[in-house]
Amino acid sequence: MAGSGSTGGSGQLSNPSSASLPPKILLAKPALVTGAPVPGKFSRGGGGGAGVDDDTASLRSRLPSIGSLNLLSESWDFHIDRFLPGCWKLKFLTENTDFAVIGVIGPPGVGKSTIMNELYGFDPTSPGMLPPYTVQLEEVRAMARHCSMGIEPRVSAERLILLDTQPVLSPSVLAEIMRPDGSSTIPVPGGESLSAELAHEIMSIQLGVLLTSICHILLVVSEGVHDQSMWRLMSTVDLLKHGIPDPSSLTPSPSQSSTTSGPEKDSKDKVHEAGEYMAAPIFVHMKLQDQDLTVHNCEQLKKALTHYFSTSSFMSERHGNVAKEQSFSSVAPSAQSGDPDSVAPNLFVIPARNKDESPINQYESHTSVLWKLRDQVLSMNHLSFSRTLSERDWLKNSAKIWELVKNSAIIAEYSKTLQNSGLYRR
């Protein structure tokens, strides 16, 4: 199920080859993890109910924080030295060029980590195994706290680089970065001191721009059918991303490497001019109730999403971000349009998790639909990076892209416009 980092065209996550694969990596305390790799099976029945979540919380309470493994720290700095030579974490990323990067973005408590655990292939029925990502429990959400910090990477045996992220549009993140005088502890962009509210908005935009630049696929997660805050955020990301390349564009071609070196070579590691790269988005709406899963409601959601992004880069067929009319996995087939040539953004609706996931329910269960979402993500076509690069080069160049994002003149100008609008205190 590895994705392609090869040049041009549209890549697809295919089945792993018969060649020996690097070991699956579970970033957790080794003493609490069995020596065998995580099984590549997915239990439809186990699904990770409340009991499993409670057991997981008990195990995780004995683990040290893995924040030191984050690519993007709470201070909004990008760290690669923890994953490259000189550190035992070197084994996390290799010189392999056949890989795919899948990111996720969304507000707190919508199920981002739950989806990423499914993509990783975590089986909650395996004894002694911890999920790659901590799932937010209801009591944590009730206390206005969040589990994920910065960008938390995990690498699966299929060489999927999964990037779980801290929540955007999050009151708990806002509370953490706010000083007593209302200013932000994190200066963005370009080192400028902003109010915490404005800095929080810009941080969400910066995170979105980074993920659309360094990922092959980006899951945009919302809660319910009426929350369009993530649509607005991604529309802003689309407008402000201009000039930010993909990671392979910062890797000189062999001919360039042979003729330039040192500072001169670094100065020429600029934006690849082949076109604006944009990760393929999948819009996921989680925790839908039965009344939300009717054919009419899902049709309206699909039409609204298509109309909202009708002029955005997300609808560009060159990017492979649209697909021929896709069925909603949790509604009747009649929800599909009769037009075989119609296109729409990738959309998935997932019902809320019920204690009773019996098959007599009118719609598919939460677990079943999550399993189908994983299949769709791993089988979908996506735009490859402009050049072939290894996992390690992807990481190094992602750090460079983060610097471009933080120093983006377009984002800085947008920040000044918001600051002068009077919507945010100075």
Side-chain angles (χ1 to χ4, degrees):
M1 304 171 195
S4 173
S6 57
T7 61
S10 174
Q12 184 172 2
L13 305 182
S14 58
N15 291 327
S17 63
S18 57
S20 61
L21 291 171
K24 177 167 285 191
I25 298 149
L26 185 63
L27 304 190
K29 189 175 181 181
L32 291 179
V33 181
T34 60
V38 178
K41 65 176 183 177
F42 308 94
S43 170
R44 295 192 183 190
V52 175
D53 288 340
D54 293 341
D55 293 341
T56 296
S58 175
L59 286 171
R60 282 205 177 271
S61 66
R62 290 177 270 159
L63 287 175
S65 170
I66 58 174
S68 60
L69 298 177
N70 289 8
L71 288 181
L72 193 60
S73 68
E74 294 180 71
S75 61
W76 228 227
D77 295 319
F78 205 94
H79 298 283
I80 66 172
D81 54 316
R82 300 160 179 170
F83 293 81
L84 292 175
C87 178
W88 67 270
K89 304 177 188 69
L90 166 65
K91 65 180 68 175
F92 291 169
L93 297 179
T94 70
E95 295 298 331
N96 170 53
T97 60
D98 186 25
F99 66 97
V101 185
I102 303 175
V104 67
I105 188 171
V110 294
K112 300 184 299 297
S113 298
T114 297
I115 293 174
M116 298 305 271
N117 285 338
E118 186 73 20
L119 294 178
Y120 184 88
F122 170 69
D123 182 2
T125 63
S126 295
M129 295 303 297
L130 298 177
Y133 296 107
T134 304
V135 177
Q136 186 183 54
L137 302 178
E138 285 301 324
E139 51 266 32
V140 175
R141 187 178 185 183
M143 291 186 290
R145 294 166 54 193
H146 56 278
C147 296
S148 301
M149 304 290 183
I151 295 180
E152 299 181 5
R154 304 291 185 271
V155 186
S156 76
E158 298 84 5
R159 307 318 292 173
L160 299 179
I161 300 176
L162 304 175
L163 304 179
D164 195 9
T165 61
Q166 72 178 39
V168 297
L169 312 176
S170 168
S172 57
V173 173
L174 175 60
E176 287 182 351
I177 67 171
M178 182 179 291
R179 291 193 177 104
D181 63 356
S183 62
S184 170
T185 59
I186 299 179
V188 291
E192 184 179 358
S193 178
L194 302 174
S195 69
E197 293 93 341
L198 179 53
H200 180 236
E201 176 77 12
I202 299 301
M203 288 170 64
S204 298
I205 293 171
Q206 288 178 329
L207 181 60
V209 171
L210 175 67
L211 293 174
T212 54
S213 301
I214 67 174
C215 295
H216 292 105
I217 298 171
L218 178 60
L219 299 165
V220 182
V221 187
S222 303
E223 182 173 342
V225 294
H226 303 295
D227 181 13
Q228 297 183 1
S229 58
M230 288 306 300
W231 295 10
R232 290 191 291 270
L233 174 62
M234 296 311 295
S235 179
T236 304
V237 166
D238 181 42
L239 290 174
L240 302 182
K241 185 186 178 296
H242 181 70
I244 305 297
D246 72 81
S248 68
S249 301
L250 300 181
T251 300
S253 63
S255 60
Q256 291 175 316
S257 300
S258 61
T259 58
T260 59
S261 61
E264 182 182 359
K265 183 176 78 70
D266 293 338
S267 68
K268 293 186 178 182
D269 282 356
K270 300 300 182 182
V271 177
H272 180 64
E273 300 297 337
E276 199 81 9
Y277 176 84
M278 181 74 72
I282 298 180
F283 292 89
V284 182
H285 283 252
M286 297 279 286
K287 302 185 179 181
L288 273 67
Q289 303 300 321
D290 283 355
Q291 63 269 22
D292 300 324
L293 291 168
T294 64
V295 172
H296 174 74
N297 285 344
C298 288
E299 284 181 335
Q300 293 302 310
L301 179 62
K302 179 183 61 176
K303 289 179 180 178
L305 180 64
T306 303
H307 178 73
Y308 196 93
F309 290 102
S310 60
T311 60
S312 77
S313 300
F314 298 139
M315 292 292 287
S316 170
E317 293 191 49
R318 181 178 69 83
H319 291 148
N321 292 346
V322 292
K324 290 295 179 69
E325 193 72 32
Q326 297 185 47
S327 62
F328 294 94
S329 62
S330 54
V331 299
S334 58
Q336 303 176 45
S337 167
D339 182 2
D341 296 323
S342 62
V343 294
N346 294 299
L347 173 66
F348 225 86
V349 293
I350 299 180
R353 175 186 292 164
N354 298 319
K355 292 183 179 179
D356 180 18
E357 296 237 310
S358 63
I360 62 174
N361 290 337
Q362 182 179 1
Y363 303 105
E364 290 184 83
S365 70
H366 170 88
T367 303
S368 175
V369 179
L370 268 182
W371 191 84
K372 287 189 174 182
L373 172 62
R374 181 186 187 276
D375 277 355
Q376 176 171 318
V377 170
L378 298 186
S379 63
M380 73 176 291
N381 293 325
H382 61 81
L383 184 68
S384 297
F385 296 140
S386 55
R387 298 173 185 166
T388 300
L389 80 168
S390 68
E391 296 171 3
R392 290 176 180 172
D393 284 338
W394 167 84
L395 178 61
K396 294 174 184 177
N397 291 348
S398 293
K400 297 178 183 178
I401 289 194
W402 178 240
E403 291 304 312
L404 293 177
V405 171
K406 289 202 300 182
N407 297 312
S408 168
I410 297 176
I411 297 178
E413 188 63 29
Y414 181 78
S415 175
K416 290 180 181 178
T417 301
L418 291 181
Q419 192 170 25
N420 294 331
S421 68
L423 296 175
Y424 300 90
R425 56 181 172 179
R426 294 179 179 273

